[in-house]
Amino acid sequence: MGMKVCSQFFLVFTLLLMLGCVSTPHRGDEKSVVLLDAHASQSDVVPTRYEKKIYQVLLAETAYQRGQFQQAVDGYLSAALGSRDPALVERACYMALNADRQDAGLQMAQYWVSLEPESVKARYFLALFYMRKGQLKLVQEQLEQTLSIDVDGNALGFFGVAEILGELGGHDALFVMQKVVADYPDNVNALVALSQLALRVGEFDEALSSVTYARSLMPDRVDALLLQIQILQARGDGGIAIDHLAHAIDQHPADVTLRQWYAQLLEASGREEEAFVQFKIVESQSPMDGDAIFSLGVLAFNDSRWALAQTYMQRLLDIGGFNNEANYYLGWLAELEGTYAEAIEFYSSVNLEGAYFDAQIRLAYNTAKLGDLNVARGYLESIEPEGVVEVERVFIAQGELLRDARQFEEAIEVYSRGLQKLPGNHELLYARAMVAEAIGHNEQMKQDLEAIIASDPKSTNALNALGYALVEHGGDIDKAEGYLLRALALDPQSYYIIDSVGWLYYRRGEYAKAIEYLNRAYNLGKDAEVAAHLGEVLWVIGDYEGAKDIWDRALKDAPGHKALLGVVERFSAQ
């Protein structure tokens, strides 16, 4: 009970300070402030006007905490209008803004400006409420007033104007900003702020024009250069952006920020070798730069330079700051080496940030590889997925663990449970169809693939899988051809779809067509299964040497491929 009274006292004391009613006693004849006492009789206490204000504020804050926003605004409005305290008026403005009380907010903002005409924040609030009411001319007037207030050479003013107009968005915002900066045609801050707003509302030409002129006035301004790069990227002019950065780096070779941007842009453009060189320079200039070290590690990983990737990721752990990402990649690297226990240790070190979800999935796979299927499934069932994608991935992972353990019926049951939560989910339908085919449940497979195609007629995976399955299992060959040619038209460079078309013509006895398609597929993908198909067709038409040659070449790249070995063994025995 005593604690509650103490807390209430400090709240009242704070409000008294806010209202400007508390000061250090310096005259013996001053009357002390009488706090409201709930236990005192009405005849004992005569509330002062300050106490009434405090009581109004307390009621308003209580209403706000309870979600009674309209009542809170009314309370603050009443208290603030009778006060000359800007802090109280500012709080009333925030209340009105949150409660979407435009008229009350406008009234408060106007009062605030009358109290503090040199307050940039007050004028921004007034402009914001004018903006909400669509009074663009008055918005412009208030924002122009802020530029006459000296705040760091007006730099904050222009960027603040752009920020508040960003709330409005669209052509109206850009129109007002153009009016505001019209009197400052050569002010670089004004031009950059205008460019930022134009980029924000999607007017790329205006954004590029403004920032380009700003850079002509001040070529060495780095933030303007980086803004120009952003705009060029947004326009799809990545090559021009790279050229601009390359030129800037030639002029400022020691600028780490510019070089980091340059490296990132090269990486995003697929020029990974060049990106690696630039990140190495960043690393030499700034050896503890975690971003550069992480990028070098990822690039090395993508290039299959496992030992180098491991070195960079271990360095990340040593310097700190990227522990989640480093542990995740180190786990992946250990998994690639087949050291599953070590991979589990790394994945277990990824905490609730960053790559936690992916790490838990990989943790389950590696546990299953060590033979602990039940423990692996326990990991997956303990995950609390967020959103459709994560729910889908958990069910897919559980099904794959069971499929790999050849527990096909259980895998189908898991996918079916997933489809109860995510009806019609294409990934789950496809996964169930593939497992159903593996155990001869062809009708289930057909239904699932047809459901995907009905929902998405451009699903190349489903079209190809259904067409190929009809060829393999003696279905309607003409219908299979229709599915496969539709898939090929959608993705003409897919070697596995081309392989399926070639296999269809082989089953039809059209060997010349089959060899044409299978050769195309093998040249595109160098895939062992395609080699098995092509060799089989060559063998059947009597080209034994051609068949052996293609099989030998494929076995050098994939010596343990089961389907290829099976075909070689079957025909070599003839």
Side-chain angles (χ1 to χ4, degrees):
M1 185 69 180
M3 190 65 178
K4 185 176 181 180
V5 172
C6 181
S7 299
Q8 187 180 31
F9 170 76
F10 282 113
L11 175 58
V12 174
F13 184 75
T14 302
L15 291 167
L16 284 167
L17 282 175
M18 187 171 71
L19 291 169
C21 306
V22 172
S23 60
T24 303
H26 60 278
R27 279 175 28 192
D29 60 347
E30 282 189 353
K31 295 180 180 178
S32 60
V33 176
V34 179
L35 296 179
L36 293 174
D37 186 346
H39 299 287
S41 67
Q42 193 69 23
S43 60
D44 293 332
V45 178
V46 179
T48 69
R49 66 187 183 89
Y50 295 116
E51 290 165 351
K52 291 177 181 177
K53 296 293 180 197
I54 293 168
Y55 188 64
Q56 285 178 310
V57 171
L58 281 170
L59 288 177
E61 282 294 336
T62 301
Y64 185 76
Q65 294 300 322
R66 292 175 176 172
Q68 299 167 342
F69 300 126
Q70 304 300 328
Q71 186 177 336
V73 171
D74 290 338
Y76 259 104
L77 188 65
S78 176
L81 287 175
S83 164
R84 296 191 60 80
D85 190 302
L88 186 57
V89 179
E90 178 180 349
R91 179 66 173 157
C93 281
Y94 275 109
M95 287 279 191
L97 188 64
N98 290 335
D100 200 28
R101 290 279 297 276
Q102 309 305 334
D103 291 335
L106 181 59
Q107 186 180 5
M108 279 295 92
Q110 288 169 333
Y111 184 44
W112 187 3
V113 169
S114 73
L115 294 175
E116 290 189 310
E118 297 297 302
S119 168
V120 171
K121 185 185 286 187
R123 290 194 179 275
Y124 279 175
F125 261 98
L126 184 52
L128 181 59
F129 283 114
Y130 280 140
M131 201 159 58
R132 293 287 178 89
K133 295 179 74 66
Q135 297 174 300
L136 299 185
K137 181 63 177 175
L138 295 176
V139 172
Q140 179 186 337
E141 289 176 3
Q142 288 306 314
L143 295 178
E144 286 173 345
Q145 283 289 328
T146 67
L147 299 179
S148 65
I149 301 170
D150 186 17
V151 181
D152 294 336
N154 282 343
L156 180 63
F158 285 117
F159 292 111
V161 167
E163 183 63 29
I164 197 167
L165 285 171
E167 294 285 328
L168 179 61
H171 294 286
D172 287 343
L174 193 57
F175 173 78
V176 172
M177 189 68 186
Q178 288 167 332
K179 292 289 186 182
V180 169
V181 304
D183 292 333
Y184 307 88
D186 295 328
N187 186 301
V188 174
N189 287 329
L191 290 165
V192 173
L194 174 60
S195 179
Q196 285 180 344
L197 179 62
L199 173 61
R200 181 171 176 176
V201 301
E203 294 290 344
F204 301 139
D205 291 341
E206 174 72 22
L208 187 59
S209 173
S210 296
V211 77
T212 301
Y213 184 50
R215 290 200 63 218
S216 73
L217 296 172
M218 193 178 290
D220 291 334
R221 182 155 169 169
V222 174
D223 67 327
L225 169 62
L226 297 181
L227 177 60
Q228 187 179 42
I229 299 306
Q230 282 183 281
I231 296 164
L232 287 167
Q233 284 182 278
R235 281 166 48 108
D237 296 328
I240 299 174
I242 288 173
D243 291 342
H244 276 293
L245 276 172
H247 178 69
I249 287 170
D250 286 341
Q251 294 180 313
H252 307 282
D255 192 311
V256 176
T257 301
L258 284 179
R259 196 174 294 277
Q260 189 109 21
W261 270 64
Y262 183 45
Q264 290 170 354
L265 202 53
L266 287 168
E267 183 181 4
S269 301
R271 294 162 62 173
E272 295 192 345
E273 289 185 15
E274 295 172 77
F276 190 87
V277 171
Q278 294 303 318
F279 279 123
K280 283 290 291 181
I281 297 173
V282 173
E283 180 197 17
S284 68
Q285 293 173 325
S286 182
M288 301 297 286
D289 188 320
D291 288 305
I293 296 169
F294 178 65
S295 295
L296 286 166
V298 172
L299 287 169
F301 183 90
N302 292 342
D303 197 33
S304 301
R305 291 185 280 175
W306 312 129
L308 186 59
Q310 188 172 36
T311 298
Y312 283 121
M313 293 305 170
Q314 190 59 56
R315 277 185 60 195
L316 277 181
L317 284 184
D318 294 339
I319 67 173
F322 284 80
N323 290 354
N324 287 314
E325 294 83 351
N327 278 311
Y328 181 76
Y329 273 96
L330 287 167
W332 200 344
L333 288 162
E335 186 177 342
L336 289 169
E337 292 176 357
T339 53
Y340 303 126
E342 187 179 2
I344 288 169
E345 185 176 346
F346 281 119
Y347 287 135
S348 298
S349 298
V350 178
N351 64 24
L352 291 173
E353 302 170 1
Y356 175 74
F357 178 82
D358 288 329
Q360 291 299 107
I361 297 289
R362 300 311 312 166
L363 187 61
Y365 279 117
N366 281 268
T367 302
K369 286 173 182 175
L370 290 177
D372 295 327
L373 179 60
N374 290 334
V375 175
R377 293 189 67 186
Y379 281 130
L380 293 174
E381 288 168 1
S382 69
I383 296 175
E384 296 181 2
E386 296 180 0
V388 171
V389 173
E390 289 192 0
V391 171
E392 170 197 293
R393 285 189 61 194
V394 169
F395 279 109
I396 290 290
Q398 287 194 53
E400 286 179 350
L401 293 181
L402 290 164
R403 181 202 64 194
D404 293 345
R406 305 192 65 78
Q407 297 183 20
F408 298 120
E409 294 290 354
E410 290 85 349
I412 287 177
E413 189 272 330
V414 164
Y415 292 137
S416 298
R417 280 197 289 114
L419 285 162
Q420 288 176 355
K421 286 197 172 184
L422 302 175
N425 181 275
H426 289 185
E427 295 298 323
L428 291 169
L429 282 169
Y430 187 84
R432 187 170 69 177
M434 294 302 96
V435 175
E437 183 187 21
I439 56 176
H441 294 182
N442 293 331
E443 191 58 36
Q444 175 74 71
M445 174 268 296
K446 183 182 175 185
Q447 288 176 5
D448 286 344
L449 293 176
E450 285 178 342
I452 296 172
I453 294 168
S455 172
D456 178 13
K458 294 184 177 181
S459 173
T460 55
N461 284 339
L463 288 166
N464 180 64
L466 184 53
Y468 186 80
L470 289 172
V471 172
E472 279 291 272
H473 303 302
D476 187 330
I477 200 81
D478 292 330
K479 199 169 185 179
E481 183 179 29
Y483 286 132
L484 292 175
L485 293 181
R486 278 169 61 188
L488 188 60
L490 291 165
D491 192 358
Q493 295 302 309
S494 169
Y495 73 84
Y496 60 88
I497 296 176
I498 298 170
D499 171 65
S500 296
V501 175
W503 196 242
L504 174 138
Y505 289 128
Y506 167 60
R507 291 293 198 194
R508 267 188 175 173
E510 299 180 43
Y511 299 135
K513 268 189 174 183
I515 291 171
E516 176 192 344
Y517 279 96
L518 291 171
N519 264 319
R520 275 178 58 196
Y522 185 69
N523 290 332
L524 280 170
K526 304 297 182 187
D527 183 80
E529 188 166 347
V530 177
H533 287 164
L534 178 56
E536 180 170 338
V537 179
L538 291 171
W539 189 282
V540 166
I541 67 171
D543 185 359
Y544 306 125
E545 292 303 317
K548 289 177 181 178
D549 178 63
I550 198 72
W551 288 336
D552 287 343
R553 278 189 282 156
L555 283 169
K556 287 179 182 178
D557 295 328
H561 195 279
K562 290 182 180 180
L564 177 58
L565 288 170
V567 170
V568 172
E569 183 179 346
R570 177 159 52 93
F571 283 94
S572 297
Q574 293 180 4

